[in-house]
Amino acid sequence: MAVRKDTVQTTVLIDGKQAINQLGKLEMEASELRAEIKGAKKGTDEYVAATKKLNEVKGRISAMRKEIGLTGMTLQQLRKYQRDLTREITT
């Protein structure tokens, strides 16, 4: 009979401040990546890598927003989320 040991690491959010801070950091990272993409020529390795990283960050932001919910976001984050949703609808 084999014995199996698993190690699990969890983080418990008490009032959501940690999640809100993480969301803010992800949004700043996305902003920096957008600036990097804007300064790079299309088709270069730098452009492709930054675009790929930006898409990953956008996915993490989306997941974080779903986890936090609208009530856990700051007013500034809600306004940015509104702009993002409006942009998705119009494109």
Side-chain angles (χ1 to χ4, degrees), residues 70-84:
L70 296 177
T71 57
M73 290 187 208
T74 64
L75 188 57
Q76 182 180 6
Q77 290 170 334
L78 286 169
R79 286 184 180 136
K80 180 168 180 358
Y81 187 49
Q82 178 188 17
R83 284 191 302 271
D84 291 344

Side-chain angles (χ1 to χ4, degrees):
M1 188 183 233
V3 176
R4 181 175 168 187
K5 278 188 165 183
D6 290 334
T7 303
V8 178
Q9 182 178 359
T10 61
T11 302
V12 178
L13 301 176
I14 303 302
D15 60 4
K17 286 185 181 181
Q18 183 179 2
I20 291 171
N21 289 340
Q22 181 66 25
L23 181 61
K25 288 178 185 177
L26 287 171
E27 288 173 345
M28 286 184 354
E29 185 178 349
S31 177
E32 291 170 2
L33 286 167
R34 282 188 197 98
E36 186 178 325
I37 289 170
K38 198 173 193 178
K41 290 186 179 183
K42 287 187 177 183
T44 62
D45 290 337
E46 179 183 338
Y47 181 87
V48 172
T51 302
K52 182 179 178 183
K53 180 73 174 168
L54 179 61
N55 288 334
E56 291 173 8
V57 171
K58 282 182 178 180
R60 291 181 14 216
I61 288 172
S62 178
M64 185 67 70
R65 284 181 177 158
K66 286 180 185 176
E67 183 180 323
I68 294 173
L70 296 177
T71 57
M73 290 187 208
T74 64
L75 188 57
Q76 182 180 6
Q77 290 170 334
L78 286 169
R79 286 184 180 136
K80 180 168 180 358
Y81 187 49
Q82 178 188 17
R83 284 191 302 271
D84 291 344
L85 290 174
T86 303
R87 193 175 305 122
E88 282 183 30
I89 290 170
T90 58
T91 57

